Amino acid sequence: MTDKNDQIPFENDSGLMDTQRLLLGVDPEKGRDYSLDDILAEYSSSAKPPAPPEEAPAPLPAAESPPAPEQTAEETEAAPLPEPEEDSAPEEDLSEFIGTQWMEAGASGEQPPEEESSVTMEDIVASTVDAVKGDQERAREKWRQRLEKAQRKRAVRREPSPRQSLPPVEEEPPAQDAAAWHRRRYFACRRSLILSGAVVLLLWIPWVLERMGRTVPFFSASADNAAICVLIPQAIACALAWPVFRAALEGLREGSVTLAGTAALANLVTMLDEITLLLLANRLEAPPLGGVAAVSAVFALWGFKGFHRGMWESFHTATLGRPGWVADVCPHGTAKGKGSLLGFYTRACMEDTASQWQRLLLPVLCAASLVFALLSSVGQGRGQDFLWCWSVTLCAAAGLAFPLAFAVPFGRLAARLARGGGAVAGHYGASVLASARQVVASDGDLFPPGCAGLSGVKLFSEERGRAISYAAGLATLGGGLMGRIFGDAVQREHLSPQSVDNFHIHDGGGLGGIIRGETVLLGPPVFMRRQAVHLPASMPAKTCVCLSVDGELTALFSIKYAAAEPVENALRTAARSGLRLRLATRDGNITPRLLRTRFGTDGAELLELEERLALSEPDREGGEPNGILYREGIIHLVELSAGSRRLCQTARAGNLLSILGSVCGVLLGFYLTFVGSFASLTPVNLLIYMLLWAAPLLPLVWSVDKV
């Protein structure tokens, strides 16, 4: 039976006991039923209790005290402290009471072990806090793992970007060296294209005449004669188109198969087939396809010429030195700012999407063409026709639309931009600029020098010189078009702008400050009405600027805005290309309504004040050099943005048509050769099929530089 002394005296200091249980997570109402053994079992798990005694001592009566045994001096020092008296502090009373009960419950004999230490309130609270911290850390780790898992899932579902990740920009070669190298390659490809193209045209003249129903001497006599008439000019054309074979060998060294490799392989296979036609008597009486393979080599050479032309024009423009502006995409659209050429070479040399698709697709098509040729020839018991069957699928795989997807239009666009003092950093830079459908324009872009000026001044109890100097003091600090207009005005009047204190730019195009102790405001009439400045009923002009001193109107300045022809062309080009204008102007009169009146353009959007000030800053950093500009004017920025959009659209359409044309051609060639429909696989029919896939791209290629 347990005496009531073994219970914690909750009746004494009940408020302290309840506070302790709240700290320990125990319900105060239920805590009164807990004994000392329950508490010790809950919070003393970290300490190893001593072995229980064989016979527990009988509990002492409540009214008696345990007799104090006689102890030596050493035993007295090692003995525990006596119980605190009732008038001691409540915290010390409770701690020492728990420690005493613990030692009494675990001691066997008269002396408690010296190694055992009492469990104090600090130990209990510390263990509780450590447990809570551990739970919180485990909860944080669990949420972190769930968040990482969700991010990985989102990364898997995210669509692939049309741009490759940009490698670190290391030391780049000088623009002069890159321009000189591409210039040599461009002229070599152009010379080869002209010569080989002329030879291929001569090669096709007999085929065209025979298709028109005319008999060509020697050529129409037999298939062997036709093979000779094709083999000789094809070999000459391949020798003249040596840049294609050089590019094919370079691709093989890099472990990739491109259009040059496919075209070179098609020419080699067709020439071997023409030789076997002359040597094998039982070879199929089907016309050789060397003319089709020669055309694919000429188209590949056309693509190399366009690519090297585009790179040469771009790097040649970069040799002019540090660009005046670099074009990049900000959250509000394509904008220009100050920058350098660092990174332009790296971006320009990034692989375009057309080359990526060729590198992935053409090896598969070449391997498939070999398998299909084996099935159509050896599988059908016609091993002697293997080279002809392979040449059919190879010529179809080397589609004519591949070079028209990016290389040829890039060369045309780069030449057009170079004439205006601009350049785009290859397909990478074009895709970045094409991702924005807005163009940011400032005051100077819309109204270049000479297109806006002060046309008249109306004074109200103020001197002309003082009014102009007051307005010039605010306008020059505000910058933009107003600063240029009033800066020219004080020069004509031989005045100087007044110094301004506490200058501030207000929303709505207004400027304010303190001049000679007077509060001066400058801005359009709408701003003045918001500032409670009384204005006359009629204004001298629709576009004017008001000046007020201490809340009184002192002058009205009439501003004349004239539309410049390059700006009109730029806005029309932007509208045709689906680009919207975003105004980063500081002049309160330049609004979408004014542009609609002066230029007849719609869709312009006025940005917020902070955004306008940041984007119209003259020394604003322009970001990455995805495009470079050396001439001022919005027309060059619009041409760069619109040309990039058209180039990317042409590349997407070209990739689609070239992939579909090559895949369908290989499958169709395999089907016709497998079923033995040899009469349909004439050189003219196959060439017409390949031209039909390339024909839709010709208008896009022709118009990519017509911005």
Side-chain angles (χ1 to χ4, degrees), residues 163 329 430-438 645:
R163 300 186 298 272
V329 174
S431 61
V432 172
L433 298 179
S435 63
R437 302 188 61 179
Q438 299 84 18
R645 286 179 58 84

Side-chain angles (χ1 to χ4, degrees), residues 14 87 120 162 245 340 461 515 696:
S14 61
D87 56 351
T120 62
F245 293 85
S340 64
S461 66
I515 301 178

Side-chain angles (χ1 to χ4, degrees), residues 34-46:
Y34 292 161
S35 64
L36 178 61
D37 296 334
D38 298 331
I39 296 176
L40 295 178
E42 177 70 18
Y43 297 106
S44 62
S45 58
S46 60

